[in-house]
Amino acid sequence: MHLLVHESDLPFIKESLRKSHPETRPTHRMEAAAKGLGFSTYASFLTSIKSGRLRIDVDNEMYCAALGVSAIIDGEKRARYLSRSVARAMLRKVLDENPELTLRGFDSIWHGGRDELRKPKEEREALFADRRREAYNDDWAADQFELALIFLSRQKRTKSFNRQVGSYGLKHRAEDLSRAFGLFTYLGNYVSNGMLLAAAFTTGFSVKRVAYDSYNAYLNISMQTVNAARGYERNSRIEENPAIVLSMYAPATDFEPAYSG
């Protein structure tokens, strides 16, 4: 899975890594980050990134080894300090450009259930601000965004919007990559509607809101590749075929897929 880094993302990546490892020196963190991003030194990384947005592969284990911290957390989970900081920087850019986006989707103080809409305007504004902060700062949001990126990066675009399936339906397809096939369980089994939309903006899809009061949107996404991502064979009785999914979504080499083909 490739992630994109721009020079303007560096301050946020640095701050994210500082929060993860406040006991380490800044120079050590960034030298380790450079190694985790495939560079021998931070200086060589800076030289490359000055030429524009950089497409990189993130090696969390290399980062942890270079920094001298454990690559395993909570006894069994693989640490994702570096990849999460890069994903969060990418997500932050989308959120800055789309001030109405939260984990719910296209959101505002005028959205919500009946009880929520009965609250005073000031309280609804505070709740909306909380939802925006959650999208910016929550580790879970960054992981949802990355899983949605993996799903959408292998989907084809069409000239027109696909009204057969909206963003809410597509988020379930992204979740299936982890839940049904066990390919990306390290990112969890959940993708929010808002993080699916954020990933759609990042991967260059056109996004059209279903209605002015809807959380959801349509994308110019091919139904053919959407169905293929579910493991459906053509000219069959619609039976799931894990090999199709594996061919589309090769997991990271350090994670064991649930199916071998």
Side-chain angles (χ1 to χ4, degrees), residues 1-6 9 12-13 16-17 37 53 56 58 60 80-95 135-150 187 195 198-199 202:
M1 171 64 188
H2 295 294
L3 296 177
L4 295 173
V5 182
H6 191 273
D9 298 328
F12 192 73
I13 292 174
S16 181
L17 294 177
L37 298 175
R53 180 159 287 194
I56 47 89
V58 182
N60 287 293
R80 302 188 56 256
Y81 304 116
L82 184 57
S83 57
R84 187 176 283 146
S85 69
V86 174
R88 186 178 283 122
M90 295 171 64
L91 173 58
R92 186 181 186 87
K93 193 179 301 292
V94 178
L95 293 171
Y136 272 108
N137 300 325
D138 196 90
D139 286 347
W140 194 38
D143 291 351
Q144 293 173 39
F145 173 70
E146 189 173 343
L147 181 52
L149 278 178
I150 292 170
L187 290 171
M195 293 302 97
T202 299

Side-chain angles (χ1 to χ4, degrees), residues 176-193:
D176 285 345
L177 289 178
S178 179
R179 183 181 296 114
F181 297 97
L183 298 180
F184 305 101
T185 54
Y186 59 99
L187 290 171
N189 293 326
Y190 181 75
V191 175
S192 64
N193 186 55

Side-chain angles (χ1 to χ4, degrees), residues 15-75:
E15 177 62 15
S16 181
L17 294 177
R18 184 194 67 79
K19 290 179 179 179
S20 297
H21 306 291
E23 73 285 356
T24 59
R25 294 174 58 184
T27 53
H28 289 172
R29 286 195 297 269
M30 294 316 295
E31 287 294 338
K35 289 180 171 59
L37 298 175
F39 294 85
S40 57
T41 64
Y42 183 54
S44 61
F45 168 66
L46 285 179
T47 300
S48 296
I49 204 171
K50 287 184 182 299
S51 61
R53 180 159 287 194
L54 192 64
R55 186 179 297 271
I56 47 89
D57 287 309
V58 182
D59 188 333
N60 287 293
E61 290 190 0
M62 176 65 75
Y63 167 76
C64 290
L67 196 61
V69 299
S70 175
I72 303 296
I73 57 176
D74 298 331

